[in-house]
């Protein structure tokens, strides 16, 4: 069974640009969550999608958005990039995204904003 | 809001020895789950062990076990017979229980870097 796949693995963008990251969950998983990982702030929850609907949202500005398609694949978009958006973005999928259900993580997309 | 604290940024252990990683959390909820995740240099987060708050028995997974002290809000991870492959960053995480999807996010601690000496 294929794991969670995130593309691209590495990305370099210029301040002010926008970027789209992709996450393909494990087959059968309907919940997809996104996390931002930085040395200073650690791992922070961005948002979660379940059956194409945003179900939970973290404390990030509106420049961060996402969506989920009918096949459960999810994309995350960041507009008007800032230097502080440089981070590792992790995607996690699970069957229900709740309680004790295991979240399976991808290897992340390393975004560098210059 | 829930918080998770890992106060030790780094630890080191001799191969084959035992090491304990500490984690405390704060919550007003009674129904929740606690996790330890491992993040090796490949950056992929891997679930090590999980604990349901309503279970008094400490979870174990092979060489990994936890000491869950609910009243003290403490959740430490013990790694026995440490191996070189255990070297990684370890994160303690919290998730609310309750209604499905009500609060699906994982709240992570800052992590601890574990090195294993041969």
């Amino acid at each position: 069974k294929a794991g969670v796949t995130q593309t691209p693995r590495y990305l370099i963008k210029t301040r002010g640009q926008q970027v789209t990251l992709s996450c393909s969950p494990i087959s059968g998983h309907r919940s997809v969550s996104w996390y931002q990982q930085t040395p200073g702030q650690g791992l922070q929850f961005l948002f979660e999608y379940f059956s194409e609907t945003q179900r939970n949202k973290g404390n990030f500005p509106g420049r961060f958005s996402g969506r989920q398609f009918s096949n459960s694949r999810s994309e995350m978009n960041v507009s008007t990039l800032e230097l502080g958006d440089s981070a590792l973005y992790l995607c996690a999928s699970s069957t229900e995204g709740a309680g004790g259900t295991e979240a399976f993580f991808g290897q992340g997309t390393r975004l560098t904003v210059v | 809001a829930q918080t998770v604290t890992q106060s030790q940024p780094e630890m080191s252990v001799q191969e084959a020895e035992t090491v304990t990683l500490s984690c405390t959390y704060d919550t007003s909820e009674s129904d929740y789950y606690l996790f330890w995740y491992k993040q090796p240099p490949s950056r992929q987060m891997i679930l090590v062990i999980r604990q349901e708050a309503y279970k008094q028995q400490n979870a174990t997974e092979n060489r990994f076990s936890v000491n869950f002290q609910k009243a003290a809000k403490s959740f430490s991870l013990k790694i026995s017979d440490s191996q070189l492959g255990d070297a990684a960053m370890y994160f303690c995480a919290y998730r609310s229980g309750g209604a499905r999807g009500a609060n699906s996010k994982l709240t992570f601690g800052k992590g601890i870097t574990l090195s294993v000496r041969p």
Side-chain angles (χ1 to χ4, degrees), chain B residues 7-33:
Chain B
S7 55
Q8 307 153 301
E10 297 179 353
M11 284 197 77
S12 180
V13 64
Q14 191 76 35
E15 194 176 6
E17 297 294 307
T18 295
V19 65
T20 298
L21 311 183
S22 301
C23 172
T24 58
Y25 61 94
D26 190 28
T27 183
S28 58
E29 300 175 331
S30 58
D31 182 15
Y32 54 88
Y33 296 81

Side-chain angles (χ1 to χ4, degrees), chain A:
Chain A
K1 202 174 194 182
V4 179
T5 303
Q6 291 188 246
T7 56
R9 293 289 306 278
Y10 301 91
L11 208 48
I12 300 176
K13 287 288 187 178
T14 304
R15 220 169 10 167
Q17 286 186 314
Q18 74 164 16
V19 67
T20 299
L21 311 182
S22 179
C23 173
S24 293
I26 292 172
S27 178
H29 285 191
R30 296 192 294 165
S31 168
V32 175
S33 295
W34 289 88
Y35 293 84
Q36 180 195 65
Q37 185 175 17
T38 60
Q41 298 298 317
L43 280 148
Q44 294 186 285
F45 173 77
L46 280 154
F47 31 63
E48 185 232 359
Y49 286 86
F50 184 84
S51 293
E52 302 180 66
T53 301
Q54 187 181 86
R55 192 161 66 170
N56 286 291
K57 189 177 189 305
N59 189 25
F60 277 81
R63 300 185 297 108
F64 292 81
S65 63
R67 58 178 175 169
Q68 186 180 34
F69 302 95
S70 58
N71 62 358
S72 291
R73 189 178 72 85
S74 178
E75 287 183 347
M76 189 192 104
N77 184 275
V78 188
S79 63
T80 319
L81 284 165
E82 301 177 357
L83 296 179
D85 297 333
S86 294
L88 178 67
Y89 289 89
L90 291 166
C91 162
S93 79
S94 63
T95 51
E96 296 293 339
T101 56
E102 181 175 353
F104 293 83
F105 284 81
Q107 288 189 286
T109 294
R110 172 73 68 185
L111 171 66
T112 301
V113 182
V114 297

Side-chain angles (χ1 to χ4, degrees), chain A residues 37 41-43, chain B residues 4-11 21-22 36-37 39 45 88-93 108-114:
Chain A
Q37 185 175 17
Q41 298 298 317
L43 280 148
Chain B
V4 177
T5 302
Q6 294 177 255
S7 55
Q8 307 153 301
E10 297 179 353
M11 284 197 77
L21 311 183
S22 301
W36 277 99
Y37 278 90
Q39 187 178 41
M45 301 281 278
M89 198 149 183
Y90 286 80
F91 292 91
C92 178
F108 288 90
K110 292 286 191 186
I112 178 170
T113 301
L114 177 68

Side-chain angles (χ1 to χ4, degrees), chain B:
Chain B
Q2 296 79 31
T3 58
V4 177
T5 302
Q6 294 177 255
S7 55
Q8 307 153 301
E10 297 179 353
M11 284 197 77
S12 180
V13 64
Q14 191 76 35
E15 194 176 6
E17 297 294 307
T18 295
V19 65
T20 298
L21 311 183
S22 301
C23 172
T24 58
Y25 61 94
D26 190 28
T27 183
S28 58
E29 300 175 331
S30 58
D31 182 15
Y32 54 88
Y33 296 81
L34 297 165
F35 306 83
W36 277 99
Y37 278 90
K38 171 185 177 181
Q39 187 178 41
S42 68
R43 303 175 309 184
Q44 186 160 18
M45 301 281 278
I46 302 163
L47 179 65
V48 175
I49 199 165
R50 111 189 70 198
Q51 175 77 44
E52 294 89 341
Y54 62 84
K55 287 188 177 178
Q56 291 187 328
Q57 187 172 7
N58 289 325
T60 62
E61 287 287 343
N62 301 314
R63 298 183 295 108
F64 299 88
S65 62
V66 299
N67 183 3
F68 173 48
Q69 301 289 327
K70 191 170 183 179
K73 295 179 181 172
S74 169
F75 182 61
S76 59
L77 175 69
K78 185 171 82 170
I79 306 174
S80 303
D81 185 26
S82 297
Q83 300 175 0
L84 295 178
D86 294 334
M89 198 149 183
Y90 286 80
F91 292 91
C92 178
Y94 172 104
R95 176 189 268 162
S96 297
R100 178 181 299 173
N103 194 348
S104 54
K105 77 171 187 178
L106 286 162
T107 300
F108 288 90
K110 292 286 191 186
I112 178 170
T113 301
L114 177 68
S115 58
V116 181
R117 305 186 302 275

